[in-house]
Amino acid sequence: GMSSGGGEGAGKVESDALKSRNETLSGMAAGFACKLVEYPLDTVKVQVQTQKPGPDALSPYQMLMRTVRQEGFRGLYRGIPSPLIGSMAENSVLFSSYGFAGRMIHTGDQETMPFYKKLFAGSCSDDKR
């Protein structure tokens, strides 16, 4: 008989919705983690690139130490909220679109998806066009 779940197709729809939610959340977590690691390095890089050239110019390590000494560890993260949100949004879309494309072209588990299909799914989610 019919269950309250709506028949056999409901499990697949629920499963795809769950996968999509997990991909979105995983992408957000990845974007958050990557930006937390990358941002201080980028901050120091920009400080080094924009300093006045000459014999007093600081190396990246010296600039890192100076920033932490003068502004504290938090100085390395000044201005991070907007890039952090952007990175989380970007990665959630990339993860979700890769998963969606994969489900559209392959009916089995992603572990059994042939490499050429993974390449195609990746090209559908790539933002570097």
Side-chain angles (χ1 to χ4, degrees), residues 20 23-35 80-98 125 127-128:
S20 186
E23 290 157 359
T24 300
L25 293 174
S26 296
M28 290 175 74
F32 185 88
C34 289
K35 192 54 68 176
I80 197 174
S82 181
L84 186 64
I85 291 168
S87 179
M88 291 169 68
E90 176 186 5
N91 280 282
S92 70
V93 169
L94 292 175
F95 279 47
S96 302
S97 58
Y98 175 83
S125 66
D127 67 334
K128 306 291 189 271

Side-chain angles (χ1 to χ4, degrees), residues 7-19 103-104 106-108:
E8 285 183 26
K12 174 132 177 59
V13 171
E14 244 171 43
S15 175
D16 283 351
L18 187 62
K19 287 176 185 174
R103 285 190 294 282
M104 292 298 104
H106 186 71
T107 55

